Amino acid sequence: MFEQLIQKLKENRKTIVFTEGTDYRIQNAANRLLQEDLMNVILIGDEAEVKAAADKDDYDLSAARIVNPLDYAGMDAMVEEMVALRKGKMSAEDCRANLQRGNYFGTMLVKMGEADCLLGGATYSTADTVRPALQLVKTKPGAHLVSSCFILNREGGDEALRTICMGDCAINIDYQDTVDKDGNVTFSAAQKLAEVAVESARTAKVFGIDPKVAFLSFSTKGSGKGGTVQLSRDATAEAKALAPELAIDGEMQFDAAVAPEVGQLKFPGSTVAGHANTFIFPIIEAGNIGYKIAQRLGGYDAYGPILQGLNAPINDLSRGCNADEVYKMAIITAALA
């Protein structure tokens, strides 16, 4: 999987910004990326501190660009741009104060075109990575929400399931109708879940997956009622209308989604049942539990959460990540650009 992404990066070089330039895991990954000449690297932090940390661990970061928000020459222009983006919700003083932090500063580097993508979260929370992205980079045209997916990959086993996609397992807690002040539904829960499915399918394609999208449930084709069954059923219809070119079906149980003999028994005639590789969960509890079961008991390596719906690739690390995970997520993030 990574050979394909690396080849893509060699053909189309990108610049990534890391928000935590002194972190040893970030530096280890940056060192590898630079040694392999995969992308341009920007590290945010005090230059002396970044170099001292690199020297301590014998990392060669001489090819990286180190940027300190405290002495950034373009800060006045950046503040002016951020004030305009926040449309009166932040004063110039508030913007300048926020831009002293790596998460806001790095996001503005992406917004202003000095970097193609961003990877953060080694020390920041998910909210501290996503919030600046929503406020500054914002959602892309046609997108109504930010979602996420995980790409899971393993060696061996069923070849059709060696690389799979699962969404949303990290961002959207659940799906509720959006209503206006008069109580009219302006964007339904089913439309939101459908958008997650279509975005996840598009992400899956980047990783060489020919997406076959299954909306998961404890019901297959009307066998059960209650809970989120109707949501998954309605979202299936919405997703088919939104992206008729994709193979999409639901609602279905997981066994019907992945086992051909079960899929055709429970959902005869479906081109997805029994052959799904992109799985859409109706609520975050199911998604988060599901991908972790696959990771821990199914032997998959899990990469993500990969954020979807933004104008530029901005991804979040787990604070418990290791250097190899940072390296691989950097490749994924740059490839998405």
Side-chain angles (χ1 to χ4, degrees):
M1 182 179 82
F2 281 95
E3 289 178 3
Q4 174 193 358
L5 298 180
I6 288 170
Q7 184 59 40
K8 184 179 294 187
L9 290 175
K10 289 183 176 179
E11 294 170 357
N12 190 8
R13 192 175 186 87
K14 300 297 180 181
T15 297
I16 190 168
V17 55
F18 291 101
T19 58
E20 298 128 317
T22 59
D23 187 277
Y24 71 95
R25 297 161 296 178
I26 301 297
Q27 293 206 341
N28 181 299
N31 179 67
R32 289 178 67 184
L33 295 168
L34 292 169
Q35 292 298 313
E36 295 169 18
D37 197 28
L38 296 184
M39 62 191 75
N40 302 323
V41 171
I42 298 174
L43 298 171
I44 296 177
D46 178 83
E47 185 172 3
E49 292 178 3
V50 171
K51 288 182 176 179
D55 290 342
K56 178 182 176 182
D57 291 314
D58 199 28
Y59 297 139
D60 181 6
L61 301 180
S62 58
R65 178 186 171 196
I66 302 170
V67 186
N68 185 352
L70 297 179
D71 58 20
Y72 177 62
M75 181 56 76
D76 288 343
M78 185 177 280
V79 169
E80 184 177 349
E81 176 72 10
M82 185 171 169
V83 169
L85 289 167
R86 297 301 291 132
K87 297 180 179 179
K89 295 178 182 177
M90 281 187 184
S91 67
E93 292 74 17
D94 292 334
C95 289
R96 192 176 296 273
N98 274 295
L99 288 169
Q100 307 308 304
R101 302 168 58 196
N103 56 342
Y104 273 93
F105 182 75
T107 304
M108 280 301 294
L109 289 180
V110 175
K111 177 63 181 178
M112 297 180 78
E114 294 195 42
D116 299 296
C117 54
L118 177 148
L119 185 59
T123 60
Y124 289 110
S125 69
T126 295
D128 283 336
T129 300
V130 174
R131 188 182 303 108
L134 284 171
Q135 293 176 347
L136 305 175
V137 171
K138 304 187 179 182
T139 52
K140 65 186 180 182
H144 297 82
L145 74 166
V146 173
S147 64
S148 75
C149 71
F150 278 81
I151 298 296
L152 294 95
N153 181 257
R154 72 178 179 188
E155 300 298 326
D158 186 343
E159 185 174 353
L161 293 173
R162 286 182 185 171
T163 305
I164 61 176
C165 177
M166 291 184 171
D168 181 347
C169 308
I171 299 297
N172 292 287
I173 302 299
D174 59 13
Y175 302 92
Q176 304 291 331
D177 292 341
T178 298
V179 298
D180 62 20
K181 62 181 181 180
D182 297 319
N184 300 308
V185 176
T186 57
F187 197 59
S188 71
Q191 287 174 307
K192 293 177 182 179
L193 186 58
E195 187 172 305
V196 172
V198 172
E199 287 295 327
S200 296
R202 290 170 178 164
T203 300
K205 287 183 178 182
V206 175
F207 296 88
I209 300 171
D210 179 15
K212 296 177 178 60
V213 183
F215 283 86
L216 297 178
S217 178
F218 62 85
S219 165
T220 299
K221 201 180 180 182
S223 66
K225 296 180 180 180
T228 56
V229 171
Q230 193 63 46
L231 170 63
S232 293
R233 191 175 300 156
D234 292 346
T236 301
E238 293 285 355
K240 287 181 176 181
L242 185 62
E245 74 282 3
L246 293 175
I248 298 170
D249 224 335
E251 85 286 1
M252 67 182 77
Q253 293 156 288
F254 191 77
D255 57 350
V258 299
E261 66 280 6
V262 178
Q264 292 310 304
L265 177 66
K266 291 186 174 184
F267 209 141
S270 171
T271 58
V272 172
H275 305 286
N277 53 27
T278 301
F279 306 97
I280 306 304
F281 295 90
I283 196 167
I284 198 171
E285 283 95 335
N288 195 268
I289 292 167
Y291 99 81
K292 288 182 183 293
I293 290 174
Q295 181 184 26
R296 298 299 175 180
L297 299 184
Y300 282 93
D301 293 321
Y303 302 103
I306 297 167
L307 301 186
Q308 304 171 147
L310 292 166
N311 270 312
I314 291 179
N315 280 324
D316 179 49
L317 295 163
S318 165
R319 281 172 284 181
C321 66
N322 59 42
D324 187 61
E325 289 168 338
V326 177
Y327 167 81
K328 290 176 177 175
M329 277 301 295
I331 291 173
I332 287 170
T333 303
L336 289 168

